[in-house]
Amino acid sequence: MTVITRFAPSPTGYLHVGGARTALFSWLYAKKTKGEFVLRIEDTDRERSSEASVQAILDGMSWLGLDHDRGPIFQTDRFDRYEQVIQQLLDEGKAYRCYHSQQELDDMREQQKAKGDNPRYDGSCRNLSAYPEDKPHVIRFKNPLDASVVIDDLIRGHIEISNTELDDLIIARTDGTPTYNFTVVVDDLDMGITHVIRGDDHINNTPKQINILHALNAPIPKYAHVPMILGDDGKRLSKRHGAVGVMQYRDDGYLPQALLNYLVRLGWSNGDREIFSMDEMIDLFSLEAINKTPSAFNTKKLNWLNQHYMKTLPASEVAVHLNWHLVEQGINATNNAKKSAVIEALIPLYAERTETLKQLASQIRFMFEDFKEFDVKAAKKHLKITAGEALSTLKVSFESLVDWNEASIQNAIDETMTKLDIGMGKIGMPLRVAITGSGQSPGMDILCALLGKEATLARLDKALSFIEQRKLQAEQR
Ligand code: GLU
């Protein structure tokens, strides 16, 4: 048997963290079993669905690298098929037209409540012999009246629901459009879905769907209902917690590898291991190891993982994602071999001190454009009048260098320190502020080497005139 899983989002918003995790679990299970992963867009609710949401889902899936083997299949393209199955159920006496008006249904409910019964449709249209074709009606599924539905959920275990608790579900509305639980069933059947992996907010739908599948003589897929994700306050994760679309994580500077690793651990575990490459996830994943209890979102851990991947993935791979942020920040380094080499050299240096690509990009901008102003605090502290001599002496030494590399640069710095009898702090920090504009950075030897001689000298000039300016102001006071 080939395993066929699906991810079936409703395009009523962006692909959020919970959806992405469900998609990942379904995708992993298909990969692990060498099965198939289907992407199905459940867009029958035309009021709430939008083209933009479809795009956001597709973008999110593709950014995460969760490719599908089939799809995207749109439910709105399948109305003829739904109609056909509804007709089949009617013909076989497994569904019926129901003519109760909304008012009548409301009254029925009120009477049941007054008697202390559970409000439900009483099935009184089940056996009508005359069908007034022109009267508005819905179509209901004849739910079995006795016995119970059994779900052996791969995560939650054995669940049994008595059919007396279920009423006759509407499968087509008055306007003839099929309803949600019905389209899911027809799709899962037609697409040969063997494993339904979805959020446990759907668990109440499952018995209804199983009953319809039975009526269609369809095989019953296995079900795995994934517990929800909580925010750090223990409440269901929502926008209030800053839970946003997957693409927002890209915008905020996360690597897809980090988000995937984060998501897989959100409700699934393998011993106490935290780091999983995609191949390792595929290899080790199992539905049975998904937790039964909700898991809580933890931004600190996501940041930790992101930094881990920034530090450990090949720089060329990180660069692909970093370039996107650089372009966002006005620096286009793509298709430029020299700049690309500089970026790849900067990644390991800066990954040590940043948690997101967005931070990293903003910290290396100085390398590709002249910064407008020195960081005020850093300049005040380190571009003092007394630093002028150190920087101008260093500049002369730099100018004389024939080979411009880390070693020769460090040598020039050391010589200047000896010559002026000053410590590293008195020259390193002014140099840092002069070159990067800020008071924090990796080693200056490598940064100057990457920046190049000409640009380094120009920035020293800029710092020296800043100091000169300061001197004039001090004299005027
Ligand atoms: N369309 C449903 C949702 O977005 C999922 C249905 C399913 O997985 O069966 O919540």
Side-chain angles (χ1 to χ4, degrees), residues 265 269-276 301 304:
R265 282 287 294 108
S269 53
N270 186 272
D272 51 12
R273 182 166 172 178
E274 291 294 354
I275 307 283
F276 299 90
K301 189 165 157 192
W304 173 76

PDB file of all heavy atoms in Angstrom, residues 265 269-276 301 304:
ATOM      1  N   ARG A 265       9.868  19.859  16.361  1.00  0.00           N
ATOM      2  CA  ARG A 265       9.990  19.596  17.797  1.00  0.00           C
ATOM      3  C   ARG A 265       8.784  20.101  18.587  1.00  0.00           C
ATOM      4  O   ARG A 265       8.655  19.830  19.763  1.00  0.00           O
ATOM      5  CB  ARG A 265      11.264  20.255  18.339  1.00  0.00           C
ATOM      6  CG  ARG A 265      12.523  19.492  18.019  1.00  0.00           C
ATOM      7  CD  ARG A 265      12.648  18.206  18.855  1.00  0.00           C
ATOM      8  NE  ARG A 265      12.820  18.529  20.270  1.00  0.00           N
ATOM      9  CZ  ARG A 265      11.903  18.363  21.200  1.00  0.00           C
ATOM     10  NH1 ARG A 265      10.726  17.868  20.916  1.00  0.00           N
ATOM     11  NH2 ARG A 265      12.152  18.704  22.451  1.00  0.00           N
ATOM     12  N   SER A 269       8.926  14.296  19.384  1.00  0.00           N
ATOM     13  CA  SER A 269      10.268  14.227  19.966  1.00  0.00           C
ATOM     14  C   SER A 269      10.933  12.910  19.632  1.00  0.00           C
ATOM     15  O   SER A 269      10.295  11.918  19.263  1.00  0.00           O
ATOM     16  CB  SER A 269      10.200  14.413  21.479  1.00  0.00           C
ATOM     17  OG  SER A 269       9.277  13.492  22.017  1.00  0.00           O
ATOM     18  N   ASN A 270      12.245  12.933  19.762  1.00  0.00           N
ATOM     19  CA  ASN A 270      13.061  11.746  19.562  1.00  0.00           C
ATOM     20  C   ASN A 270      14.139  11.817  20.636  1.00  0.00           C
ATOM     21  O   ASN A 270      15.148  12.494  20.474  1.00  0.00           O
ATOM     22  CB  ASN A 270      13.670  11.785  18.150  1.00  0.00           C
ATOM     23  CG  ASN A 270      14.415  10.512  17.844  1.00  0.00           C
ATOM     24  OD1 ASN A 270      15.596  10.412  18.152  1.00  0.00           O
ATOM     25  ND2 ASN A 270      13.751   9.539  17.271  1.00  0.00           N
ATOM     26  N   GLY A 271      13.850  11.172  21.761  1.00  0.00           N
ATOM     27  CA  GLY A 271      14.741  11.313  22.913  1.00  0.00           C
ATOM     28  C   GLY A 271      14.789  12.773  23.317  1.00  0.00           C
ATOM     29  O   GLY A 271      13.782  13.471  23.246  1.00  0.00           O
ATOM     30  N   ASP A 272      15.979  13.253  23.711  1.00  0.00           N
ATOM     31  CA  ASP A 272      16.047  14.669  24.075  1.00  0.00           C
ATOM     32  C   ASP A 272      16.799  15.464  23.012  1.00  0.00           C
ATOM     33  O   ASP A 272      17.309  16.546  23.257  1.00  0.00           O
ATOM     34  CB  ASP A 272      16.657  14.861  25.470  1.00  0.00           C
ATOM     35  CG  ASP A 272      17.972  14.115  25.596  1.00  0.00           C
ATOM     36  OD1 ASP A 272      18.504  13.659  24.560  1.00  0.00           O
ATOM     37  OD2 ASP A 272      18.462  13.982  26.740  1.00  0.00           O
ATOM     38  N   ARG A 273      16.828  14.911  21.851  1.00  0.00           N
ATOM     39  CA  ARG A 273      17.542  15.561  20.757  1.00  0.00           C
ATOM     40  C   ARG A 273      16.784  16.792  20.251  1.00  0.00           C
ATOM     41  O   ARG A 273      15.561  16.799  20.210  1.00  0.00           O
ATOM     42  CB  ARG A 273      17.646  14.512  19.654  1.00  0.00           C
ATOM     43  CG  ARG A 273      18.382  14.944  18.468  1.00  0.00           C
ATOM     44  CD  ARG A 273      18.697  13.737  17.637  1.00  0.00           C
ATOM     45  NE  ARG A 273      19.237  14.214  16.393  1.00  0.00           N
ATOM     46  CZ  ARG A 273      19.653  13.420  15.444  1.00  0.00           C
ATOM     47  NH1 ARG A 273      19.580  12.116  15.594  1.00  0.00           N
ATOM     48  NH2 ARG A 273      20.141  13.924  14.343  1.00  0.00           N
ATOM     49  N   GLU A 274      17.536  17.838  19.911  1.00  0.00           N
ATOM     50  CA  GLU A 274      16.906  19.078  19.452  1.00  0.00           C
ATOM     51  C   GLU A 274      17.172  19.386  17.988  1.00  0.00           C
ATOM     52  O   GLU A 274      16.370  20.036  17.330  1.00  0.00           O
ATOM     53  CB  GLU A 274      17.400  20.277  20.297  1.00  0.00           C
ATOM     54  CG  GLU A 274      16.914  20.282  21.735  1.00  0.00           C
ATOM     55  CD  GLU A 274      15.411  20.472  21.864  1.00  0.00           C
ATOM     56  OE1 GLU A 274      14.729  20.706  20.854  1.00  0.00           O
ATOM     57  OE2 GLU A 274      14.908  20.350  22.998  1.00  0.00           O
ATOM     58  N   ILE A 275      18.330  18.981  17.510  1.00  0.00           N
ATOM     59  CA  ILE A 275      18.726  19.390  16.156  1.00  0.00           C
ATOM     60  C   ILE A 275      18.468  18.254  15.171  1.00  0.00           C
ATOM     61  O   ILE A 275      18.946  17.138  15.365  1.00  0.00           O
ATOM     62  CB  ILE A 275      20.233  19.736  16.118  1.00  0.00           C
ATOM     63  CG1 ILE A 275      20.588  20.760  17.209  1.00  0.00           C
ATOM     64  CG2 ILE A 275      20.660  20.184  14.731  1.00  0.00           C
ATOM     65  CD1 ILE A 275      20.205  22.171  16.906  1.00  0.00           C
ATOM     66  N   PHE A 276      17.711  18.568  14.128  1.00  0.00           N
ATOM     67  CA  PHE A 276      17.427  17.573  13.100  1.00  0.00           C
ATOM     68  C   PHE A 276      17.558  18.218  11.728  1.00  0.00           C
ATOM     69  O   PHE A 276      16.886  19.214  11.453  1.00  0.00           O
ATOM     70  CB  PHE A 276      15.988  17.055  13.217  1.00  0.00           C
ATOM     71  CG  PHE A 276      15.690  16.371  14.515  1.00  0.00           C
ATOM     72  CD1 PHE A 276      15.213  17.094  15.599  1.00  0.00           C
ATOM     73  CD2 PHE A 276      15.863  15.006  14.655  1.00  0.00           C
ATOM     74  CE1 PHE A 276      14.932  16.479  16.804  1.00  0.00           C
ATOM     75  CE2 PHE A 276      15.582  14.381  15.858  1.00  0.00           C
ATOM     76  CZ  PHE A 276      15.115  15.119  16.938  1.00  0.00           C
ATOM     77  N   LYS A 301      13.730  29.519  21.923  1.00  0.00           N
ATOM     78  CA  LYS A 301      14.251  28.298  21.335  1.00  0.00           C
ATOM     79  C   LYS A 301      14.364  28.424  19.813  1.00  0.00           C
ATOM     80  O   LYS A 301      15.326  27.954  19.213  1.00  0.00           O
ATOM     81  CB  LYS A 301      13.336  27.130  21.710  1.00  0.00           C
ATOM     82  CG  LYS A 301      13.918  25.809  21.333  1.00  0.00           C
ATOM     83  CD  LYS A 301      13.191  24.705  22.038  1.00  0.00           C
ATOM     84  CE  LYS A 301      13.375  23.428  21.272  1.00  0.00           C
ATOM     85  NZ  LYS A 301      12.469  22.403  21.747  1.00  0.00           N
ATOM     86  N   TRP A 304      17.394  30.385  19.132  1.00  0.00           N
ATOM     87  CA  TRP A 304      18.584  29.561  19.364  1.00  0.00           C
ATOM     88  C   TRP A 304      18.837  28.657  18.154  1.00  0.00           C
ATOM     89  O   TRP A 304      19.965  28.537  17.677  1.00  0.00           O
ATOM     90  CB  TRP A 304      18.385  28.739  20.646  1.00  0.00           C
ATOM     91  CG  TRP A 304      19.455  27.736  20.890  1.00  0.00           C
ATOM     92  CD1 TRP A 304      20.720  27.985  21.341  1.00  0.00           C
ATOM     93  CD2 TRP A 304      19.372  26.315  20.661  1.00  0.00           C
ATOM     94  NE1 TRP A 304      21.417  26.806  21.423  1.00  0.00           N
ATOM     95  CE2 TRP A 304      20.626  25.772  21.007  1.00  0.00           C
ATOM     96  CE3 TRP A 304      18.364  25.462  20.214  1.00  0.00           C
ATOM     97  CZ2 TRP A 304      20.897  24.401  20.910  1.00  0.00           C
ATOM     98  CZ3 TRP A 304      18.626  24.110  20.113  1.00  0.00           C
ATOM     99  CH2 TRP A 304      19.890  23.590  20.464  1.00  0.00           C
TER     100      TRP A 304
END
